[in-house]
Amino acid sequence: MRAAATRWAARWAARGRVLAALAVLTAGLLAGHRAVPNSVGRVGSLLEAFLPWLGAVVVVLLGLALLRRSAVALVALLLPVAAWTYLFGGLLLPAPEPGARELVVVQHNVSDENGDPAGTARALADAEPDLVALEELVPRALPVYEEMLAADFPYHVVRGTVGLWSKHPLTGAGLVDIKPRGITEDWSRGLRAVVHTPYGDVAAYVAHLPSVRVGAGGLASSRRDESAGLLGEAIAAERLRTVILLGDLNATVDDRGLAPLTSRMNVAERGFALSFPAALPLARIDQVMARSAAVAHIRTLPATGSDHLPVAARVTLG
């Protein structure tokens, strides 16, 4: 009997050590995700696309550690908890009070298959934003958006399949060339305009980066990364001090593929705002970033006829 009890205790201790090892591994992935190589299948970017979900792994490990009453596993779990809190804990804090120099902006990929553009336009206007950025504008739906948004947003520009609607005057609208090499068809998915706000001029960029695919070979994101680099170069050359970028960037802000942008711009300080897919949001690939301004809070809006959820953000100008 004593020998059986000893064997049982040894098995549970071994399981506790396995849980502790998994906890340390999870902490390492959170803290050192940039060290995960991207050379094969862009595994690093794939990990970073879902990095916050490692918090779910921590919860599962915690439940198992409590079930098995493993002190060593519980102590080890302090590492991933600390790493996750450092990376993402701030996003869970309450939104700050609205500031005096603040713009409300909405970003939405409306989907080229959206069967209710009028309802979508009404839903976006209900958020009472200063700016609305739209992607996947198709010829049959564009007149509907123009008509439905005209009363609240008297100024707008469209280039290719992206557009910007504004309560404030717009000037200097132009195409931003973010077309990757290898795309030979017509492809206009970036624009830039100057917004004359009550707080000064702001350069607003709207962009729709190429989609990514996950397959047997890993993450196919080279075109998106190339397009992000071109967009980063355009923003780096921007002469206006304050810049707001709105777009479907097909990447989370943790994804190293967006480094040309996240290295130059501020991202949301509060809010997760998971936006895709709309039916079961797993990641926020619809982004609002700013230079010489702070994205104080970001949130999702109710679902529309798109496969993306709209996001609304408060941008505090410097």
Side-chain angles (χ1 to χ4, degrees):
M1 180 69 70
R2 183 177 300 175
T6 300
R7 288 194 298 271
W8 179 85
R11 285 198 298 270
W12 276 78
R15 290 170 182 172
R17 289 193 291 271
V18 170
L19 290 175
L22 291 173
V24 172
L25 174 62
T26 304
L29 291 174
L30 283 164
H33 59 93
R34 293 293 189 210
V36 177
N38 234 7
S39 53
V40 179
R42 298 185 182 267
V43 176
S45 282
L46 186 60
L47 168 66
E48 288 159 349
F50 301 101
L51 197 62
W53 288 102
L54 286 180
V57 175
V58 177
V59 172
V60 172
L61 292 176
L62 175 61
L64 292 174
L66 291 173
L67 179 65
R68 292 172 179 171
R69 300 178 182 179
S70 170
V72 66
L74 289 171
V75 171
L77 278 166
L78 293 176
L79 294 174
V81 168
W84 192 95
T85 302
Y86 175 79
L87 290 173
F88 305 113
L91 298 176
L92 298 174
L93 296 176
E97 292 296 320
R101 295 169 53 85
E102 192 168 87
L103 297 176
V104 176
V105 302
V106 164
Q107 148 61 28
H108 192 29
N109 179 327
V110 295
S111 174
D112 55 7
E113 299 179 352
N114 191 328
D116 185 20
T120 297
R122 284 193 296 269
L124 301 180
D126 285 346
E128 300 183 349
D130 296 276
L131 301 174
V132 176
L134 304 181
E135 299 84 46
E136 292 199 12
L137 293 169
V138 292
R140 61 175 173 76
L142 178 57
V144 179
Y145 289 110
E146 291 176 326
E147 178 183 355
M148 297 299 298
L149 295 173
D152 293 313
F153 307 94
Y155 311 97
H156 85 281
V157 296
V158 175
R159 294 292 184 273
T161 58
V162 299
L164 178 68
W165 276 257
S166 174
K167 288 185 175 180
H168 312 295
L170 298 174
T171 61
L175 174 71
V176 178
D177 186 5
I178 58 172
K179 181 178 177 179
R181 297 184 303 272
I183 295 181
T184 56
E185 64 268 21
D186 289 340
W187 199 92
S188 298
R189 289 167 51 164
L191 70 79
R192 179 255 190 202
V194 177
V195 186
H196 301 283
T197 80
Y199 319 113
D201 292 349
V202 174
Y205 285 73
V206 182
H208 184 189
L209 300 189
S211 299
V212 299
R213 296 290 184 268
V214 180
L219 184 71
S221 64
S222 58
R223 285 184 172 177
R224 181 207 62 190
D225 296 350
E226 182 182 351
S227 192
L230 294 171
L231 182 57
E233 291 173 5
I235 290 174
E238 173 59 54
R239 294 184 178 182
L240 281 179
R241 175 174 176 268
T242 305
V243 178
I244 297 176
L245 168 63
L246 307 105
D248 173 4
L249 304 185
N250 274 304
T252 67
V253 295
D254 301 301
D255 190 329
R256 69 192 69 181
L258 292 191
L261 301 170
T262 53
S263 63
R264 295 181 170 103
M265 309 189 79
N266 299 318
V267 300
E269 298 172 353
R270 300 284 186 273
F272 270 98
L274 305 181
S275 65
F276 184 82
L280 182 64
L282 297 175
R284 187 178 80 239
I285 62 175
D286 296 274
Q287 306 295 354
V288 177
M289 302 182 190
R291 186 179 80 186
S292 298
V295 184
H297 183 255
I298 192 168
R299 63 187 176 93
T300 55
L301 299 177
T304 67
S306 172
D307 55 345
H308 292 241
L309 293 178
V311 297
R314 290 166 35 204
V315 179
T316 304
L317 304 181

